[in-house]
Amino acid sequence: MSFRTTADYVEDVSPGGGALPPRAWYAVSDAKSLSLNGRWRFRLSATADAEDDTFAEPGHDTGGWAEVTVPGHWVLQGHGAPIYTNHLYPFPVDPPRVPTENPTGDHVRHFDLPADWPADGGAVLRFDGVESCARVWLNGTDLGEFKGSRLPHEFAVGHLLRPAGNVLAVRVHQWSAGSYLEDQDQWWLPGIFRDVTLLHRPAGCVLDFFVHASYDHVSGEGTLRVDSDTDGRVTVPELDLDLATGESATVPVEPWTAETPRLYDGVLATEGERVPLRIGFRTVELSDGLIKVNGKAVLFKGVNRHEWHPERGRALDPETMREDVLLMKRHNINAVRTSHYPPHPAFLDLCDELGLWVIDECDLETHGFTEQGWRDNPVDDDRWTPALLDRAARMVERDKNHPSVVMWSLGNEAGTGRGLTAMAEWIRGRDSSRLIHYEGDIDCRDTDVYSRMYAAHAEVERIGRGLDGGTHKRRALPFIQCEYAHAMGNGPGGLADYQRLFESYERLQGGFVWEWIDHGIRHPELGYAYGGDFGEELHDGNFVCDGLLFPDRTPSPGLAEYKKVIEPVGFDADGPGGTVRITNKQDFADLSALAFEWSYQVEGETAESGSLAVPPLAPGASAEVKLPEPPAPHLDGGETQWTVRAVLAADTAWAPRGHLVAWGQFPVTARQAPAVAATARPVRGADRITLGPAAFDARTGALLSIGAVAVRDLRLDVWRAPTDNDNGASWQDDVRHGPLWRRLGLHRMRHRLDAVEPSGDALTVRTRVAPAAWEFGLATGYRWTSDGTRLKLTVSVVPEGDWTVPLPRLGVRFALPEADEVRWFGGGPGEAYPDTRAASMTGRWRSTVDALQTPYVRPQENGARAGVRWAELGGLRVEGDPEFWLTARRWTTEQLDAARHLADLAPGDAVWVNLDHGQHGIGSQSCGPGPLPRYVLRAEPAEFSFVFTETG
């Protein structure tokens, strides 16, 4: 065995050597296969050259080695530690050189061939994903090496196999020249993280094949042709087709779309192998300046999806992949951008089966070169072009037979250059049936769509109106937001405002929320770990937790909001007249799959309900539908409303019958504000003032109790634990409110007592609330009145001085000694804020205090319920005038603000309740724009009231 130095292949800019040409991927055939997943022997070295390669020899003793699971990452199995950076390379930028400190994992798998393994023919060893560079031996023979972590590589091994005692050895280096091409916003996780499979290749087997299945929307016919490197026949029994490979046939078909994912089962049969096919007929084109599928423009309601599991990292099992697709479908998502690499191919099978549009993105990102003005960027260096073309080819060849894939993406945040142009030209030459995407191509030289990230609402509208400028070519292209609405922590805000723009301008063909799931790593002490929790010298903190799902795949409030905003049915009513306008917002399917229901609520409780007859509207069509007459006994007294729901009429492949798809609510009679006649008079004692059911401290005017319920520390509150979106991103030039709030001291407001005035029928307490070191403040008055049973608080606030920032919140906060169950009439069931309340359904709800909390991986402001008319908790009933925002938690805002992980939060001896007149909007400034002006909570005069009643 020879000894080779790192420079031989680890730092070589080539994609590697020894692997077979890329080809179409398929999961099963009638040829034998053997999974080599499972437990492998493992040895970790500190450098690439620490050990020689004698470990690959048959008979080498690995008995003292550790074991790891393949697929898997060794750093998640107790060997080393993960590293999270957004775009900075965690090693010196000196392409293609990498550090001497280069964790290297030697993997060994011993296996026997099954007894029925054929003696004739060849065999192929397939690796579906290894990060970042691997060298492979079988039975002591060096097969070659490869880079391209998220792409398949195959080796011919039939001549090397033995019936028993085979030794497969793989040396994996964490860092390589390929690492410079894989600077995606995710954890750096070395290892063999996708399947390893041995495939028998009988004589005359299938090699590469390309399923061409187009659809003519005018004639309703599909044309099928399957090109194959090995001659054979293609049969599709349902279409009565039996064709030679390379031969075309045109027949009437039902087309494939994301809404109607019609697949036809077929078989490609060659002399030596039969491969099942799942064929979807569809045509993708750029026509009239729009992305059209089957002759119709599509609106992407998408997400960016990294592969993630909180314990296994990017080593996903089929059940987890299916769970992702089911969750997307159940939340009205119709599209996925595979950020920023091709996913496990089984995921694309699911997109074909269940129906999702896919932008398939190449395993390419060189974002770290932005730190040096893109100098030495591999994308613009001809030496690297073979590696770029190899990555493009391995993606396209692997995934070309998936009808769900409608665009190829050249990569992400890799600057611009000749390498990208070469990739685009190669892809067009190989597959002209799909469009090409790349966000960084601002002039659209190589692309078919104008794509942007995080464009603010105003700019998106200008683009929709064609006022964005740019090259003539770009102005003629459709626009998508390949990333928008950064779902980091509490948020994203402004989704409904974006969607209104997408639906208003034809050129705007939707977008992809960033992103699908938080990349938190399960940790025994912290809950979920993020950047910096593993001692990284460079890291980007919790920026890796920016998803619509929490790490355990629990949907966040942001996903509930997105589901509502993009729902495929629109509801609109001009007034309480009993007619609702229903619109089918789908691109292809009618409404026949949905059943409609109505309910009539009085004070949030359903009085009557029934089914609603809605015609099976065609895509884009609307109808005025008459609701029943409001039930007569309920017309007078109290707030009333209609709720109309669209649910699945029958079980589907992705959700059961009755699954809620869309809904709308329409008021009938308005709420009447609570009225309290001020009949009780304050009575001053030695140390207390009583007023109706309440007792106050005679010196400070502080509320002490309402009946038997102790209340403490009731006062004006303007602080919230800043959200990730409040804090913004360090590179942004815009005002970032979280840091500014903190600099101005809004987290440490002082409360000066100016007067306690019991007189007439009221107790008035006057204060000034202001931060140390600044001259601005809030003149605040608390006016208490009572009718003997109920207690009313009216708060008046007048800003003083020069307020240059909005308020985080405006309301009162107080502590109750205990509370568990919470009941309220208002928005629910989940949290909402001014620009995240589309999904807040008005009704009567109940929860526990603990369940009100939203478990963001990095603790921050959360849990507010919007539009609350009244709430009951801890022995008190609170009614608002006007409606209010309700928050209740077992720790203070200050404790929430100080916590880095959920494990840092421990329940105290009280429940802290916030009753807010106003909340500042959320926005998505953790990477995108802040809240729109109409959601900004300005410091201006305000007056609001609450009525308290002891519930006994």
Side-chain angles (χ1 to χ4, degrees):
M1 302 291 293
S2 62
F3 183 82
R4 302 172 70 183
T5 64
T6 298
D8 284 321
Y9 65 97
V10 174
E11 295 180 342
D12 190 336
V13 299
S14 77
L20 294 170
R23 65 186 181 116
W25 191 96
Y26 51 92
V28 295
S29 79
D30 65 348
K32 293 290 184 182
S33 66
L34 176 65
S35 172
L36 297 178
N37 295 345
R39 300 294 285 173
W40 290 48
R41 291 290 183 177
F42 176 78
R43 176 182 66 186
L44 182 64
S45 302
T47 71
D49 296 327
E51 306 283 352
D52 63 26
D53 50 23
T54 56
F55 82 100
E57 291 279 10
H60 186 88
D61 183 10
T62 59
W65 289 23
E67 287 190 344
V68 294
T69 297
V70 171
H73 307 277
W74 71 67
V75 294
L76 297 182
Q77 300 183 59
H79 306 279
I83 300 169
Y84 168 60
T85 60
N86 168 28
H87 77 279
L88 296 175
Y89 289 106
F91 48 80
V93 178
D94 182 22
R97 304 297 304 278
V98 295
T100 300
E101 298 79 19
N102 187 358
T104 294
D106 290 335
H107 301 68
V108 174
R109 174 77 153 85
H110 297 82
F111 67 94
D112 301 333
L113 294 179
D116 59 352
W117 191 269
D120 61 337
V124 164
L125 178 65
R126 183 174 70 204
F127 294 87
D128 281 316
V130 182
E131 182 176 331
S132 73
C133 173
R135 183 179 171 200
V136 185
W137 297 262
L138 181 63
N139 293 328
T141 297
D142 187 350
L143 302 179
E145 62 277 338
F146 61 89
K147 308 176 189 77
S149 298
R150 270 66 72 171
L151 295 162
H153 294 82
E154 293 183 328
F155 297 90
V157 296
H159 60 296
L160 300 174
L161 288 173
R162 304 167 181 172
N166 292 284
V167 179
L168 175 59
V170 184
R171 172 164 286 171
V172 181
H173 307 282
Q174 175 156 19
W175 309 124
S176 70
S179 301
Y180 285 99
L181 304 180
E182 296 174 3
D183 189 25
Q184 292 99 339
D185 176 11
Q186 59 181 350
W187 294 95
W188 299 86
L189 298 174
I192 306 172
F193 69 95
R194 287 187 185 157
D195 307 283
V196 182
T197 311
L198 183 68
L199 304 168
H200 178 238
R201 301 284 77 209
C205 66
V206 172
L207 298 175
D208 190 24
F209 64 95
F210 197 161
V211 177
H212 303 273
S214 61
Y215 178 73
D216 186 330
H217 66 279
V218 177
S219 68
E221 294 177 318
T223 299
L224 176 66
R225 185 184 84 247
V226 178
D227 296 331
S228 174
D229 287 359
T230 306
D231 290 342
R233 299 199 69 80
V234 176
T235 54
V236 186
E238 190 175 355
L239 297 176
D240 198 26
L241 289 179
D242 186 344
L243 307 171
T245 53
E247 181 183 352
S248 297
T250 300
V251 293
V253 297
E254 298 173 46
W256 188 97
T257 74
E259 295 167 9
T260 56
R262 180 67 160 93
L263 293 172
Y264 291 88
D265 289 326
V267 173
L268 167 61
T270 64
E271 177 186 352
E273 188 175 14
R274 292 171 59 85
V275 175
L277 305 177
R278 304 209 75 189
I279 302 166
F281 291 88
R282 58 106 185 93
T283 295
V284 184
E285 61 183 337
L286 184 64
S287 177
D288 304 319
L290 298 172
I291 304 163
K292 292 186 178 180
V293 179
N294 302 337
K296 291 186 177 182
V298 296
L299 184 61
F300 296 114
K301 304 170 182 177
V303 291
N304 287 275
R305 175 186 176 268
H306 271 291
E307 295 178 302
W308 188 251
H309 187 280
E311 295 167 340
R312 299 191 298 273
R314 288 188 285 278
L316 295 194
D317 57 276
E319 293 75 18
T320 299
M321 288 184 267
R322 180 172 287 273
E323 184 179 357
D324 276 347
V325 177
L326 293 178
L327 280 168
M328 290 176 189
K329 294 291 289 186
R330 290 168 184 168
H331 287 86
N332 296 328
I333 289 163
N334 72 0
V336 177
R337 174 178 174 231
T338 68
S339 55
H340 295 295
Y341 44 84
H344 192 292
F347 178 79
L348 298 179
D349 287 339
L350 292 166
C351 294
D352 294 343
E353 172 193 339
L354 297 170
L356 289 169
W357 308 116
V358 175
I359 298 180
D360 198 357
E361 192 148 273
C362 195
D363 190 10
L364 172 62
E365 180 166 338
T366 62
H367 198 176
F369 285 91
T370 190
E371 295 298 320
Q372 53 201 61
W374 296 106
R375 187 174 60 257
D376 296 328
N377 183 11
V379 160
D380 201 30
D381 183 336
D382 291 339
R383 295 176 302 162
W384 295 79
T385 299
L388 304 184
L389 290 174
D390 180 76
R391 288 169 185 251
R394 291 189 182 279
M395 171 183 70
V396 171
E397 302 295 7
R398 191 196 77 166
D399 297 341
K400 58 183 178 282
N401 295 323
H402 290 283
S404 57
V405 176
V406 293
M407 277 191 263
W408 302 116
S409 180
L410 302 180
N412 182 69
E413 293 176 319
T416 57
R418 292 163 290 176
L420 287 169
T421 299
M423 293 170 70
E425 290 175 349
W426 185 92
I427 292 173
R428 284 197 175 94
R430 178 58 172 149
D431 177 25
S432 61
S433 69
R434 294 175 173 93
L435 305 183
I436 292 181
H437 167 273
Y438 177 66
E439 179 269 341
D441 185 6
I442 195 68
D443 293 325
C444 301
R445 181 181 64 179
D446 299 318
T447 59
D448 298 308
V449 296
Y450 177 30
S451 177
R452 287 285 305 282
M453 296 180 182
Y454 307 108
H457 298 79
E459 183 180 2
V460 170
E461 182 164 22
R462 288 196 301 274
I463 294 170
R465 297 174 62 194
L467 302 177
D468 53 303
T471 63
H472 176 77
K473 178 186 178 183
R474 193 183 84 182
R475 295 198 307 273
L477 294 179
F479 175 79
I480 63 169
Q481 284 247 66
C482 68
E483 294 180 21
Y484 82 113
H486 199 248
M488 185 177 178
N490 187 334
L495 281 169
D497 307 276
Y498 274 119
Q499 195 64 26
R500 279 191 288 271
L501 294 172
F502 295 157
E503 294 176 3
S504 298
Y505 298 96
E506 188 179 52
R507 186 189 184 194
L508 308 180
Q509 294 199 249
F512 297 77
V513 168
W514 186 268
E515 64 169 306
W516 178 236
I517 188 169
D518 287 343
H519 303 200
I521 295 175
R522 198 181 304 278
H523 192 282
E525 298 171 359
L526 303 177
Y528 290 107
Y530 49 78
D533 289 331
F534 297 97
E536 304 101 304
E537 67 175 351
L538 286 177
H539 67 85
D540 285 289
N542 67 311
F543 202 70
V544 76
C545 294
D546 48 11
L548 295 169
L549 296 181
F550 296 122
D552 64 357
R553 282 181 162 72
T554 300
S556 74
L559 184 55
E561 179 79 356
Y562 196 36
K563 175 185 178 179
K564 172 61 181 168
V565 164
I566 61 175
E567 61 189 8
V569 182
F571 302 93
D572 187 42
D574 293 332
T579 298
V580 58
R581 184 174 184 82
I582 294 178
T583 302
N584 180 0
K585 294 186 175 185
Q586 297 178 109
D587 296 323
F588 297 93
D590 63 22
L591 295 186
S592 59
L594 301 178
F596 290 80
E597 305 167 345
W598 64 268
S599 59
Y600 185 79
Q601 284 90 37
V602 179
E603 290 291 302
E605 291 190 315
T606 297
E608 293 192 30
S609 62
S611 60
L612 189 66
V614 176
L617 298 169
S622 299
E624 302 284 343
V625 179
K626 184 69 175 174
L627 293 168
E629 289 296 319
H634 306 302
L635 284 175
D636 298 323
E639 180 179 353
T640 60
Q641 68 180 10
W642 294 105
T643 300
V644 181
R645 294 176 170 86
V647 301
L648 288 180
D651 291 347
T652 69
W654 48 270
R657 177 179 179 270
H659 167 76
L660 180 62
V661 173
W663 58 272
Q665 289 188 311
F666 316 103
V668 179
T669 57
R671 169 181 181 251
Q672 296 179 354
V676 175
T679 57
R681 302 176 69 84
V683 177
R684 180 186 286 274
D687 56 1
R688 291 195 175 195
I689 298 172
T690 58
L691 176 62
F696 301 83
D697 184 283
R699 183 179 62 84
T700 65
L703 177 66
L704 301 175
S705 61
I706 300 173
V709 179
V711 180
R712 64 180 171 89
D713 296 332
L714 188 148
R715 61 185 187 178
L716 189 78
D717 191 18
V718 300
W719 180 243
R720 71 184 188 195
T723 68
D724 293 314
N725 288 305
D726 289 335
N727 286 332
S730 59
W731 65 81
Q732 292 169 332
D733 295 329
D734 307 25
V735 171
R736 297 183 291 126
H737 288 122
L740 190 54
W741 288 338
R742 202 178 297 277
R743 185 172 72 83
L744 294 177
L746 300 193
H747 63 305
R748 50 175 176 78
M749 301 291 274
R750 307 291 181 85
H751 297 251
R752 186 185 74 206
L753 179 62
D754 289 340
V756 178
E757 300 171 347
S759 63
D761 58 6
L763 170 63
T764 302
V765 180
R766 305 188 190 281
T767 67
R768 187 175 189 270
V769 182
W774 303 98
E775 53 81 30
F776 57 84
L778 301 168
T780 305
Y782 307 88
R783 187 174 189 271
W784 300 92
T785 58
S786 175
D787 62 4
T789 302
R790 296 179 295 169
L791 179 70
K792 181 176 182 179
L793 166 64
T794 299
V795 181
S796 60
V797 179
V798 178
E800 297 177 339
D802 185 15
W803 278 88
T804 59
V805 294
L807 297 173
R809 70 181 341 132
L810 181 66
V812 296
R813 180 178 83 167
F814 57 90
L816 297 174
E818 59 181 0
D820 187 16
E821 184 179 66
V822 184
R823 299 176 61 246
W824 75 97
F825 172 28
E831 77 177 23
Y833 290 83
D835 53 351
T836 66
R837 61 182 300 180
S840 185
M841 180 183 286
T842 300
R844 289 204 192 190
W845 308 99
R846 66 175 60 222
S847 173
T848 63
V849 170
D850 294 336
L852 288 177
Q853 314 311 308
T854 303
Y856 295 114
V857 174
R858 185 192 73 80
Q860 56 199 270
E861 167 61 33
N862 73 90
R865 269 53 179 181
V868 176
R869 284 74 162 160
W870 57 257
E872 294 179 351
L873 74 165
L876 291 181
R877 178 185 175 96
V878 185
E879 298 174 82
D881 182 15
E883 300 163 0
F884 60 96
W885 307 82
L886 171 68
T887 309
R889 52 178 67 106
R890 299 189 186 278
W891 36 78
T892 65
T893 300
E894 291 75 17
Q895 290 168 326
L896 182 64
D897 189 13
R900 291 187 66 247
H901 297 87
L902 290 172
D904 297 333
L905 293 170
D909 61 355
V911 171
W912 292 89
V913 181
N914 278 90
L915 311 176
D916 289 316
H917 176 64
Q919 277 272 358
H920 185 63
I922 297 295
S924 64
Q925 202 174 0
S926 50
C927 194
L932 287 167
R934 60 179 166 274
Y935 304 123
V936 171
L937 181 59
R938 292 177 174 81
E940 55 191 15
E943 184 172 282
F944 48 94
S945 299
F946 304 102
V947 176
F948 299 88
T949 308
E950 185 183 10
T951 60

